[in-house]
Amino acid sequence: MEVKIVNNEQELADAFKVRKTVFIYEQNVPEEEEIDRFESDSVHFVLYDDNRKAAGAGRFRVLDGIGKVERICVLKEKRKTGAGVAVMNKIEEYAKSRGISTLKLNAQTHAIPFYSKLGYETVSEEFMDAGIPHRTMKKSI
């Protein structure tokens, strides 16, 4: 597996394909909520499996000096293989290289155990986003 910082149109298309598969087709998130106005302000990441097939994705923005980790997803058949950890590690590495010391994300509640294992702590009550329950989590890096 290899996680890349997106730097061309094909890699961005690959990241969007994974995001659409997971969020729009699997979780029924409306496309206009998934692909939003922040795409051009974000750094995108794409994970390729050993066959060079896009299998995971995520994006990163900086808001008021805090790194915002967003749109983390892995194709169903690649879950529980370390793919999600690889995406998160690459994003954290990128954030550190930019001098960011705090990260936050809005985790779907079913994914809280995954993020907790990576050192994130829940800092909000549950809220709904795109019809899915979430909680905000933070981590110092």
Side-chain angles (χ1 to χ4, degrees):
M1 285 188 285
E2 177 189 18
V3 181
K4 298 185 74 178
I5 297 171
V6 167
N7 64 17
N8 62 52
E9 290 301 316
Q10 183 58 58
E11 291 169 353
L12 185 60
D14 291 344
F16 282 170
K17 183 177 180 183
V18 174
R19 285 174 48 187
K20 287 179 179 182
T21 298
V22 173
F23 295 122
I24 296 171
Y25 306 128
E26 184 181 324
Q27 297 184 350
N28 298 311
V29 172
E31 184 166 1
E32 61 274 9
E33 288 185 44
E34 172 52 30
I35 307 300
D36 65 20
R37 70 183 194 274
F38 302 116
E39 302 302 345
S40 61
D41 299 330
S42 302
V43 177
H44 296 269
F45 296 79
V46 61
L47 174 137
Y48 292 102
D49 66 15
D50 295 334
N51 297 317
R52 276 296 289 159
K53 180 182 177 216
R59 77 177 191 192
F60 178 82
R61 297 185 293 142
V62 178
L63 302 172
D64 300 322
I66 295 175
K68 182 115 189 298
V69 180
E70 302 175 313
R71 305 304 200 268
I72 303 301
C73 57
V74 173
L75 295 178
K76 191 178 288 188
E77 62 271 19
K78 296 296 181 180
R79 293 178 195 154
K80 308 228 185 269
T81 66
V85 172
V87 172
M88 291 298 294
N89 287 345
K90 186 72 169 186
I91 291 173
E92 288 185 17
E93 175 186 301
Y94 176 83
K96 285 180 188 175
S97 77
R98 299 300 185 268
I100 303 297
S101 61
T102 303
L103 298 177
K104 77 174 186 174
L105 54 83
N106 292 330
Q108 294 182 6
T109 55
H110 73 86
I112 288 172
F114 168 77
Y115 293 114
S116 293
K117 287 179 187 171
L118 296 176
Y120 287 80
E121 296 180 8
T122 302
V123 297
S124 79
E125 295 300 316
E126 188 173 295
F127 61 93
M128 298 300 282
D129 185 10
I132 300 168
H134 287 71
R135 293 182 77 176
T136 301
M137 301 183 82
K138 279 190 173 181
K139 177 181 180 178
S140 294
I141 57 172

